[in-house]
Structures are given as C-alpha cells and as structure tokens.
Amino acid sequence: MESKQPNIPAKFLKPYDPKVTEEKIYKSWQESGFFNPDTCIEKGVTRADAPVFSIVQPPPNVTGTLHMGHALATTLEDIMTRYHRMRGFRTLWIPGTDHAAIATQSKVEGIIYKEEGKRRQDLGREELLKRVDAYAKQSHDIIVSQIKKLGASVDWSREAFTLDDKRNFAVRTAFKKMYDDGLIYRGYRIVNWDPKGQTTISDDEIVYKEGTGTFYTFKYSKDFPISIATTRPETKVGDTAVAVHPDDLRYKIFIGKEYDIDFAGAKIHIKIVGDTAVDPAFGTGAVGVTPAHSHVDWEIAERHKLPIVPVINEYARMSVDSPLLKDKKVAEARTAVIEWLKSQNLLEKEEQIPQNIATAERTGGVIEPLPKLQWFINVNKKIASHKNKTLKDLMRRAIGKDKNDVTIIPDRFEKVYTHWIENLRDWCISRQIWYGHRIPVWYKGDQIYCDIEPPKGADWTQDEDTLDTWFSSGLWTFSTLGWPEKTADLMTYHPTSVLETGYDIIFFWVARMILMSTYLLDEVPFKTVYLHGLIRNADGSKMSKSAGAIDPLSMCEKYGTDAVRMSLIVATGPGNDIKMSEDKIRAYKNFSNKLWNITRFVLTSAIGEIYDEKFVAFSPGDAKLVVEQDKLLKEINKEMEEFKYYLVAEKIYAYVWHEFADIILENSKDIFKNGNSADKKSRKQFLLHTLVRFLKILHPFVPFITEEIWSDMPEKNIADKKPLIIETWPI
RNA sequence: GCGCCCUUAGCUCAGUUGGUAGAGCGCUUCAUUUACACUGAAGAUGUCGCAGGUUCAAGUCCUGCAGGGCGCACCA
C-alpha cells in the first residue's frame, strides 16, 4: 500500500516494535567498531589526546544466567559509558565473566550427583574439571548473548575471563610477589571448614542464620571447682583450659591450677587461666576453652600457650579417642555427652538461647571451625617496599577526600568499609576444590618452591589446593588491561574511572581490589565506586535468589530492552534497594511508543524543512521554550556528572511526555493551521531541534529506540549524520 | 553490643544548600479515530511514623521514641 506521507519512512506509521529492531541495531553497533576506543580514534570520532573514561564490568559468575541485578548493573554502566563516549572521552568498558570457583564447582557437582549419582572423587580431578569447563563455557555463551540483548556497549575485543591464561599469569605473578614479601604464608591455624563443600572458606563467605540453641551449664567432674556453660557440649572433650577474668573474685584463686579429668570417656587436661576476653557476667563467667574448634578460644590458647586438641574431623564427625563418642556425628555426640553428664549428675542447667548458626554461603553447610594447614594473606605485616605500611594501612588510606583517593557513592558506605577493615583478620586464600587457580607452590620432601613457573627437575609436586575466587577478582581492574605486562592499555586506562557494583560485595570484591591494586600497582583501582541497591520482589525478598523472580530477558522480549532499562533507572538512587514489578516496566514500554509517535508527528509536520543546527530566528514563543530547554539540559548535565541518573531519567521522561508531547505538540497544531509563515518555520525548526536534542540525551538510557529513530530520520533533515552512539552530547 | 538505612497518596517511590507536597501504577468522570488507545482532558486521595527542639519558616536540621530492614562483632 502506498504511504500517504511519502517523506516519512513507512515504519513510523506502525507502532514501535523492539523485537525487529534491537538485534539489528546491536549488530550495527558491533560492526561499526565504536565500542572499541581504538577504532573511535582511528575513525576520527575521538581525539587521541581526549580524556579517558574506563570501567570494568563486574564479571557475572558462570553459574547460570543473568538476573535483574545484572540488568540494573549493565544499564547503569552502559549509561555511564555511552554518556562519556558521546562527550568525546576515550571510553573503554571491558566485559568479562568470573569462574566463581566454589559456586560453579558445587553447582556442577550437584548436577552430576543428581543425574549420575557420582561424587567428585568418583570422577577424579581431570574429569571433574572437564565437566565444569564445559558447563562454564555454556553458561558463558548464554551470559554473553544476554549482555548483548541488554544493549551493553562493551568492547568485546578485550573480553576477559577470571580463569583464562592471561588472568592465570597475573594471578601467579601476584602470588609470587606477595609470597616473596612474606605477605602470603602457610600456617596451621583455625579456619572455617565447610563439611558439605569439603573446603575452607573465608570469613566473608559465612552467612549467619538465626536460630535457637540449648545452653548447657555443667561441671567437667564432681571435683572440678568451676561450672562452665556451652551450646556445644560435644566439643568439650577438646578443652584444654578454663578461662576466667583475671579480676573475677570468684575464680581468681584457681588461676594457674591444673586438673586431669575423665570426661565423657576421654581424658582431658584443664588449666585455669586468666584472660580479659572473658565476660564475667555471661554464663558462669568461666569459659571452657576449646582451641581447636573456636576462633576465640584459639586466640586465648595462643596467648597462654595452651595445647590444641582437635576432636572433630573434616566430615563433622568425632575424632576423639572415646568409646562413647568416636566417629559419631556432632549432633549425635552432643546428645551422648548430655546423657553422660546427666548420668554423672553434672548437668546443672539447660536453657534456650538465640543463636547464630554459621553456614557456608554457597553450599549451606554448617561451618565447623577446625585447625588446618592453609595459605593466608597477612594483613598486618609491615611491608618494606611500602614504607612499612600493612595491607590494612593501604586499604584504609585509599578511601577519602584526597584527589588520588577512592570516593564511594553513597558515601555512607565509606564508614562500612572502614569498619570492616578494623575487624579484618588474615585472609585464608586456599580452597580444597579443583576448579580455580592452582596455588603456584611445589613441594619435594621438606623443600618448598614458589614461582610463576614450575620448578625444573623431577619429583616436585604442586600444591593440591586452588585459590579463593576473590583472589583473581581482586586483580580484575588491571589483569584485564594486561598486567603484569606494562601494556598501553594499562598505562592509559588504569586507574579505572568508575567501579559500578552492588553494595553486597563491598567486602568480597571492592575491598580486595583496593588491597591488590594499592599493593601491586601502588595506585587505587578506581576513582569512584558507585554502589547500586539490590533488586527485591514486592515482599522485599531478594529477587536473585527466589523462585518468583522477574526474569530480565523475558521482560526484554515482552516490553523491549529500553523499557526494562528505564524501569530500572527511574527513581532508584544509589545504595537503595529496588522493588521491581512488571507494571513499572509496562509504563516505560508506553514511553517508547510515545517517543515513536512524537517522531512521526515531528517528521510529518516538518516535511520539506531542512534542519538547521544554527537556526536562531525563533518566534518569541519558541525562543522562550528554547531558554527553558537550555536550562533543563544544564540541570541534566550537572546531574549526569553527579551520577544522578535516576533524576535525569525522570526529568527527561516528564519533559518529553508532558511538556513536549502534551503541550508543545498540541499547541503546534494550532500554529501550523493558523500561524504566519515565520512562526511556522520557527516551530518546525524548534520541533526538529527538540527531537534531535532529546534523542541524544535519551540515548544512554534507551539506546535502541533512539538509534532506530535516528537511523531513519530523513537525511536532508540532519546535517553531518553519524550513528547516534558517537553523536555529540548537546550543550 | 557497635554502626547504618527506611518510615511521604491504595501500591512502588522522588523530593539536591529549610520556603506550607510530587511522579508512575491504580481509581473516578469525560473525550472516540486523534502523531499516539501502548491516547488525551479533568479529578479524588496525604495532620510527610510519633513526641519534643532550633527557626520568621521543618518532609527537609537537632534530640528522643516506635515499627521495619541491613551490616559488623559477639554467640564460652
């Protein structure tokens, strides 16, 4: 059928259809090469000496698919990236994925067990790794396609993976340097053991679950002078001391005395010690010290040189030499000890108290503190090459008001970060899993060898363990830029401009990146940290983990990516959680359609009018509108610089719909009908000016529809036509 | 125990140096082929958690309290 308006591309006569548009547009961006700053310089889009804007994508875990949180992060990062690219910066956004060691391995182990009934030991290291790699590859491919679907203008030519060869080299290099500086050490210390995952985990990987426990008060024996209280009677066969406050008048006279006791079928030796860590008001004011199975008790034991007696093994079963308890699971052993106490008339009191259960973040297993030989990063050692500062010092100093410091948005998280550093203990980095960066240490008899490459000669055996996944994530801002090579990328793009991520990984990741970068490169990894909130369901539960989660990709299919992006950005300030609903997404689908129809109206009205960028002969009424618009754009620019995208998106939305469409366009109908020719010309130019301007400033937020409209604006109406992605930001 | 955040229209949330309240969704009435029904016009709904204080003026600043949520530590 013939179009009634021959100068208007026919597509504007039908409603906007994101489905036929988005894939095509993304492909055209990719083929243009403008995601890559080098190409932008080569093609004269960006000046070679332009200021730099760089950002690394927080690498999604290759454990599955993207959720709404990823969609929010991707949108925010893409807004920053597109804005700076249009501003003329040398703009680089590096994509990548995270191998996520424990998370991925336990996921694949779960699948294998479910489908084949086999455990990791049944398959062996080689075979399991093959399976995990295959799964990771598949997951990676899905994630990449999803990131594209979301419109991310990332430079795919620089894509990285936390476990690829280059990143592995960076990891080995970092390990070696820290080892040589004495910051990485191997030690027999109490660690958080996850019996379910059969590995250690760091303090930050513990999730505390609220519950109630029974608090038992008892004596070890009839002759023992002091009662103690515990929620874990089964560990008491590992006690080597009773600690009391040194000033506690009730117990002072017993300090220094030692007792041999038969307890629940085991022989224990108890020394009474005085220690200020004991709270005289809690329980009986006396602590049964179990150095092998409690972090606090381990520290007491260190202070008093107490022996360490492990009584629980890696399978959470009793390893103590007592016929009553040996090989029992801890829960069974607890019952057995209570029975025994009752039979001996030693149990004095039972009461229910609230108790936090420590569980492993990834497997849900109940953590069993155990002493083990593991690798640690010493956060309190003075580093000669850093003016005798410790890693804690370096991390603390990186945040602040100084020009070279890291700024966190919102700033309240600076306090959270600082507080975390105060409580930080040595970081246990070795994991007893197979998927990950293998520790670059080799053993031969009692010799130890640590280097980037394996030792020459026979009979060296590499350490079986792998590294905490956050070790490699910590290097991410510079391992992606080629470190340890002194590459042009590293020189140009580091420190990165912004790190955009969720506030829930400020310790896991943000702090570890600051640690690694300040230590290895002597500079901060990024200048600004923008922390977004967590996406929640209507009831406030975490969307990423619940069954009824809204899937971002199916929302993109249904309403268009631009609608999903707008719904995530509007009215969601940094650090605040976001309750997501499908209604909100639908509202912004309507906005896309509005924009589409505005375009139709403007192009129809301005047929034959050539867009003149420098046009100034506006009618008094239009001149006033231009002034108002300039004022709005200046506000918007300020807010873009301040990362207030939620305000900008709302303002543009309100102006485009309720000012431009509802008032200006309506009012134009009258002008085109009754106005004189100068007024008509003025209004045509004003409409074109406004459309051009708002397509540009909307582009970072809704890149697909704006680029699509732009690509089919009649050529004669737009001077110097370039793709919108590299157009110049107005004002 | 230390610290943080939230509490504004039925729902989800804005409200940037203090100047007697806004958006989206929903609701009511009207318009019926209009650039757009993925629409337009008009409208209703709020002692801005509670109690004090500072100020000419407080949703906004200060103090206390209550409810909800979160982080860290403790959890013998």
Side-chain angles (χ1 to χ4, degrees):
Chain A
M1 207 173 80
E2 197 75 5
S3 166
K4 281 180 204 163
Q5 293 134 314
N7 287 322
I8 306 305
K11 74 178 183 191
F12 289 119
L13 300 178
K14 287 183 290 183
Y16 174 60
D17 182 3
K19 271 196 201 116
V20 301
T21 304
E22 291 177 357
E23 203 173 320
K24 177 191 77 183
I25 293 283
Y26 196 87
K27 211 173 151 216
S28 77
W29 287 330
Q30 258 195 287
E31 283 166 1
S32 74
F34 295 135
F35 292 170
N36 183 336
D38 303 330
T39 308
C40 287
I41 291 170
E42 277 165 33
K43 294 193 178 174
V45 170
T46 309
R47 290 203 334 264
D49 62 345
V52 167
F53 182 85
S54 58
I55 180 165
V56 287
Q57 180 186 37
N61 293 351
V62 287
T63 46
T65 56
L66 301 189
H67 53 68
M68 270 295 174
H70 293 113
L72 172 63
T74 305
T75 303
L76 282 164
E77 290 153 31
D78 198 40
I79 290 170
M80 296 174 193
T81 303
R82 287 179 187 271
Y83 170 69
H84 284 92
R85 193 183 291 117
M86 291 174 81
R87 276 271 182 216
F89 284 66
R90 276 185 289 168
T91 305
L92 174 62
W93 180 17
I94 299 185
T97 44
D98 191 339
H99 71 289
I102 292 180
T104 310
Q105 179 172 322
S106 58
K107 178 129 192 178
V108 175
E109 280 184 272
I111 293 168
I112 293 171
Y113 186 71
K114 203 174 160 194
E115 289 175 356
E116 303 168 37
K118 288 182 180 166
R119 299 195 184 275
R120 79 168 91 145
Q121 293 77 8
D122 302 328
L123 296 174
R125 190 164 191 145
E126 293 287 311
E127 178 61 19
L128 182 83
L129 284 180
K130 220 193 263 174
R131 304 284 195 96
V132 179
D133 281 337
Y135 179 88
K137 167 87 173 62
Q138 193 184 23
S139 176
H140 161 272
D141 293 349
I142 295 169
I143 287 168
V144 165
S145 72
Q146 291 182 316
I147 291 168
K148 290 178 177 174
K149 179 79 189 155
L150 289 164
S153 59
V154 292
D155 183 358
W156 291 108
S157 73
R158 287 172 164 92
E159 190 192 347
F161 179 50
T162 56
L163 192 56
D164 62 21
D165 289 346
K166 282 184 180 168
R167 264 42 69 174
N168 181 250
F169 183 66
V171 163
R172 283 179 281 139
T173 306
F175 190 101
K176 163 74 174 162
K177 185 166 158 58
M178 296 182 106
Y179 181 86
D180 289 346
D181 268 350
L183 292 172
I184 286 182
Y185 66 92
R186 195 181 192 213
Y188 181 77
R189 293 192 25 193
I190 188 160
V191 294
N192 308 306
W193 180 259
D194 170 13
K196 201 168 170 188
Q198 285 292 301
T199 181
T200 54
I201 60 169
S202 66
D203 294 346
D204 298 285
E205 287 165 296
I206 292 176
V207 175
Y208 290 98
K209 292 197 173 144
E210 277 182 32
T212 45
T214 310
F215 195 46
Y216 302 95
T217 305
F218 66 93
K219 277 184 180 166
Y220 291 113
S221 70
K222 289 193 180 65
D223 304 327
F224 196 76
I226 302 173
S227 299
I228 59 161
T230 183
T231 54
R232 299 204 56 186
E234 75 280 10
T235 65
K236 297 290 103 181
V237 287
D239 284 13
T240 56
V242 163
V244 298
H245 196 279
D247 301 331
D248 193 325
L249 296 174
R250 295 171 292 178
Y251 306 129
K252 215 172 164 175
I253 52 162
F254 300 113
I255 293 173
K257 294 194 172 172
E258 302 193 25
Y259 301 82
D260 283 303
I261 302 160
D262 287 320
F263 181 79
K267 296 207 181 304
I268 61 174
H269 182 85
I270 300 290
K271 184 181 179 184
I272 316 282
V273 297
D275 196 289
T276 50
V278 179
D279 175 4
F282 190 87
T284 63
V287 181
V289 180
T290 323
H293 301 291
S294 154
H295 285 95
V296 178
D297 294 2
W298 176 273
E299 282 163 20
I300 294 175
E302 276 190 327
R303 285 196 285 274
H304 300 277
K305 311 252 183 306
L306 299 169
I308 292 147
V309 181
V311 294
I312 298 170
N313 66 19
E314 285 90 340
Y315 303 99
R317 286 176 184 270
M318 303 305 290
S319 60
V320 65
D321 191 15
S322 152
L324 198 60
L325 304 174
K326 183 136 179 86
D327 294 331
K328 280 200 166 78
K329 290 182 183 172
V330 288
E332 292 164 358
R334 185 172 306 166
T335 313
V337 171
I338 295 304
E339 295 293 310
W340 181 84
L341 284 170
K342 281 178 180 165
S343 72
Q344 302 295 309
N345 242 340
L346 293 168
L347 186 63
E348 294 168 1
K349 196 159 65 169
E350 285 181 58
E351 52 193 319
Q352 294 300 119
I353 57 160
Q355 195 189 19
N356 283 339
I357 316 282
T359 64
E361 188 202 20
R362 289 298 169 180
T363 65
V366 175
I367 297 302
E368 210 53 73
L370 296 176
K372 287 189 78 79
L373 187 60
Q374 296 291 322
W375 289 95
F376 296 88
I377 289 181
N378 189 332
V379 292
N380 291 308
K381 184 187 165 72
K382 290 180 175 163
I383 313 162
S385 57
H386 282 272
K387 297 175 185 163
N388 282 328
K389 300 284 180 199
T390 65
L391 288 175
K392 265 192 186 184
D393 293 333
L394 296 180
M395 292 166 88
R396 204 181 286 117
R397 280 201 318 180
I399 300 282
K401 297 276 179 285
D402 196 81
K403 195 171 148 275
N404 297 320
D405 289 343
V406 177
T407 306
I408 302 182
I409 299 173
D411 60 4
R412 62 186 146 93
F413 284 101
E414 293 184 1
K415 213 174 191 176
V416 175
Y417 170 90
T418 309
H419 186 239
W420 178 78
I421 294 173
E422 301 310 320
N423 290 310
L424 186 61
R425 289 188 287 204
D426 285 1
W427 172 16
C428 177
I429 52 169
S430 46
R431 298 288 179 274
Q432 291 66 54
I433 57 168
W434 293 333
Y435 187 59
H437 293 281
R438 194 142 170 197
I439 289 176
V441 170
W442 290 260
Y443 309 98
K444 183 167 154 183
D446 52 4
Q447 298 177 73
I448 291 190
Y449 181 89
C450 171
D451 205 345
I452 296 167
E453 301 300 337
K456 304 247 181 323
D459 301 328
W460 287 95
T461 322
Q462 187 169 6
D463 195 299
E464 288 291 316
D465 288 355
T466 51
L467 286 167
D468 182 0
T469 191
W470 298 102
F471 188 99
S472 57
S473 311
L475 312 176
W476 191 240
T477 59
F478 48 91
S479 68
T480 51
L481 292 170
W483 187 88
E485 309 297 330
K486 283 202 165 87
T487 60
D489 270 7
L490 187 64
M491 298 298 132
T492 307
Y493 298 106
H494 205 271
T496 59
S497 310
V498 179
L499 177 83
E500 191 288 326
T501 191
Y503 67 75
D504 55 332
I505 56 173
I506 183 167
F507 307 136
F508 280 127
W509 196 38
V510 179
R512 265 70 179 266
M513 282 195 282
I514 292 174
L515 183 157
M516 291 295 190
S517 185
T518 50
Y519 167 69
L520 291 165
L521 275 74
D522 214 4
E523 64 184 23
V524 295
F526 29 69
K527 290 163 197 155
T528 302
V529 178
Y530 181 100
L531 296 171
H532 64 248
L534 307 181
I535 309 268
R536 297 179 181 279
N537 295 306
D539 62 357
S541 58
K542 262 196 191 181
M543 187 172 276
S544 55
K545 289 181 181 168
S546 65
I550 300 177
D551 168 44
L553 279 303
S554 61
M555 290 296 109
C556 288
E557 280 296 315
K558 201 165 168 188
Y559 300 106
T561 298
D562 292 329
V564 172
R565 290 171 59 122
M566 275 299 267
S567 71
L568 284 165
I569 294 304
V570 171
T572 55
N576 293 336
D577 292 352
I578 301 152
K579 285 185 188 163
M580 200 57 210
S581 71
E582 197 168 332
D583 273 351
K584 205 172 165 184
I585 301 170
R586 193 180 300 119
Y588 292 101
K589 154 114 172 135
N590 297 353
F591 178 66
S592 292
N593 189 58
K594 195 74 184 173
L595 197 59
W596 193 252
N597 283 298
I598 285 171
T599 304
R600 184 199 304 182
F601 180 87
V602 172
L603 295 185
T604 309
S605 306
I607 285 173
E609 184 71 20
I610 295 169
Y611 168 67
D612 177 5
E613 201 182 356
K614 298 194 169 64
F615 186 84
V616 286
F618 287 113
S619 67
D622 288 347
K624 203 179 150 198
L625 292 174
V626 171
V627 170
E628 278 172 17
Q629 222 177 64
D630 287 353
K631 201 180 148 223
L632 176 68
L633 288 201
K634 276 175 192 149
E635 275 175 40
I636 283 171
N637 283 346
K638 184 167 175 277
E639 286 162 353
M640 290 299 286
E641 294 299 322
E642 291 167 347
F643 300 92
K644 292 179 179 168
Y645 307 119
Y646 59 110
L647 293 180
V648 174
E650 203 182 4
K651 274 185 187 173
I652 301 177
Y653 177 95
Y655 185 86
V656 166
W657 198 315
H658 299 301
E659 187 70 26
F660 191 47
D662 288 350
I663 298 173
I664 296 171
L665 256 51
E666 288 305 321
N667 169 264
S668 300
K669 292 172 187 171
D670 184 54
I671 292 175
F672 292 138
K673 206 170 160 189
N674 304 315
N676 62 37
S677 65
D679 284 352
K680 282 182 187 166
K681 183 170 179 63
S682 165
R683 181 48 65 105
K684 284 179 188 175
Q685 285 295 334
F686 178 70
L687 293 182
L688 288 169
H689 268 82
T690 306
L691 183 61
V692 166
R693 275 181 153 183
F694 278 85
L695 286 175
K696 287 180 179 177
I697 62 172
L698 270 169
H699 180 72
F701 297 87
V702 286
F704 288 109
I705 188 170
T706 50
E707 187 74 85
E708 172 69 1
I709 291 172
W710 189 262
S711 71
D712 271 318
M713 296 271 279
E715 209 68 38
K716 61 180 177 178
N717 271 345
I718 303 295
D720 184 26
K721 188 134 177 241
K722 299 185 277 194
L724 196 50
I725 184 173
I726 51 157
E727 262 293 337
T728 311
W729 190 262
I731 303 195

